[in-house]
Amino acid sequence: GFFYPNVLESKGTKRNPWFPCSCCPSNITRFIPSVPGYIYASREDTLFINLFVGSEAVTNIKGRQIKIRQETQYPWDGNIRIAVDPEKSVSFILKIRIPGWARNKPIPGNLYTYSGGTGSQIMLKVNKQIIPADNYSDYIILDRKWKKGDRIEINIDMPVKLVVTNENVKADSGKMAIERGPVVYCAESIDNDANVLDLCISDNSEWSTERMPELLKGITVIKGKAYLLSVRNGSYIEKEFTAIPYYAWAHRGESEMAVWFRTCP
């Protein structure tokens, strides 16, 4: 099922099986064949890994065939294993992109920022030898002579982070969104004992994650506490809170949904 507008909050919306203007299915079929070019790229003596996706590719650097393979459960965890297998030993530069969220940047520019916190810790190993990764900005740069059987392991911390907007975005003033790794989350009333549009969250909340392979084709959910203002006495009532990846909303019937939540005073 599809949406035409993909809203950031809803009082209950159904997905549609089709649209007279069917741009969604056609864009998907156009996008899928383009994915390899987004993952890998090469230029002269440099091979780029731009996205973490379980995959295999073959390219040529300096006239040598290079096989490269990624194994990962990203975006559900930050562990990525990369096999580099040139047909013969050859020196070249391998650049591995560090995602913006790991550098404490939700997106380029100043529209969104994280509420507190710093960039994620990155552990980098080449052939089981730890290599400092703190000195890199956009890309990890590995300039070496590569041989068949070389292995890289990257582990990026993936804490739950709260996102705030630029103060000029009046509609989201005083609100926060929830993100883990590259995935933006939302809450649906089907998972929460409250109307989610009325909930607020605290920037001091503690969050936990749980992998649920049977839910919505396999997702990681975020759990914590949210609060509901009592109209009876003006106090805040604590509620158990569950958030799911935003892309997966509106697959279980009509339900309230919110991405942005008021910040509790």
Side-chain angles (χ1 to χ4, degrees):
F2 303 94
F3 290 128
Y4 205 85
N6 210 11
V7 297
L8 297 180
E9 66 177 38
S10 172
K11 293 182 178 180
T13 302
K14 291 182 178 180
R15 291 178 180 260
N16 293 312
W18 197 253
F19 290 101
C21 176
S22 56
C23 63
C24 295
S26 58
N27 276 330
I28 291 171
T29 58
R30 181 176 61 180
F31 170 72
I32 293 300
S34 303
V35 170
Y38 296 136
I39 303 172
Y40 302 104
S42 61
R43 182 179 62 199
E44 298 176 353
D45 63 345
T46 304
L47 175 61
F48 297 85
I49 300 177
N50 293 312
L51 297 175
F52 299 136
V53 180
S55 56
E56 295 184 3
V58 178
T59 189
N60 284 281
I61 300 288
K62 294 183 174 180
R64 299 283 175 84
Q65 186 183 81
I66 312 294
K67 292 183 180 179
I68 193 155
R69 182 177 72 254
Q70 291 190 62
E71 296 177 358
T72 181
Q73 296 299 314
Y74 189 88
W76 307 120
D77 68 55
N79 184 257
I80 302 98
R81 296 171 300 281
I82 302 169
V84 182
D85 288 314
E87 59 179 349
K88 293 182 179 180
S89 298
V90 58
S91 296
F92 65 90
I93 301 168
L94 180 63
K95 289 190 174 184
I96 305 170
R97 178 178 169 270
I98 304 174
W101 63 265
R103 294 180 280 114
N104 218 35
K105 296 179 180 179
I107 63 170
N110 66 349
L111 182 58
Y112 301 113
T113 55
Y114 291 122
S115 176
T118 58
S120 297
Q121 294 292 316
I122 300 175
M123 184 201 73
L124 171 66
K125 292 182 180 179
V126 177
N127 297 330
K128 298 184 178 181
Q129 180 181 352
I130 296 176
I131 295 178
D134 299 332
N135 297 326
Y136 302 114
S137 54
D138 295 346
Y139 283 84
I140 294 170
I141 302 172
L142 300 174
D143 186 355
R144 54 180 284 138
K145 188 172 186 177
W146 298 93
K147 63 183 185 303
K148 194 174 185 65
D150 281 341
R151 298 295 181 263
I152 302 165
E153 184 174 354
I154 303 168
N155 200 356
I156 308 175
D157 284 348
M158 205 173 269
V160 175
K161 296 184 179 182
L162 299 177
V163 181
V164 296
T165 63
N166 185 293
E167 61 182 10
N168 293 312
V169 184
K170 302 303 181 185
D172 295 325
S173 177
K175 295 182 178 181
M176 296 187 293
I178 302 170
E179 185 177 303
R180 179 177 181 266
V183 180
V184 175
Y185 278 71
C186 71
E188 290 189 293
S189 55
I190 193 171
D191 299 311
N192 296 275
D193 182 26
N195 296 326
V196 295
L197 297 177
D198 297 329
L199 292 176
C200 67
I201 60 176
S202 170
D203 56 5
N204 295 318
S205 293
E206 294 184 0
W207 305 100
S208 63
T209 60
E210 182 180 350
R211 183 67 181 161
M212 304 188 73
E214 303 303 321
L215 179 62
L216 294 166
K217 304 295 184 180
I219 61 172
T220 295
V221 302
I222 293 174
K223 295 186 176 183
K225 302 291 184 182
Y227 302 88
L228 184 66
L229 181 63
S230 171
V231 295
R232 181 176 300 176
N233 56 23
S235 62
Y236 282 92
I237 303 170
E238 186 177 88
K239 295 281 187 179
E240 298 292 332
F241 177 81
T242 299
I244 66 168
Y246 170 54
Y247 74 80
W249 77 284
H251 280 293
R252 295 173 290 171
E254 294 186 21
S255 178
E256 277 194 359
M257 183 278 297
V259 169
W260 291 98
F261 302 92
R262 290 180 294 109
T263 305
C264 295

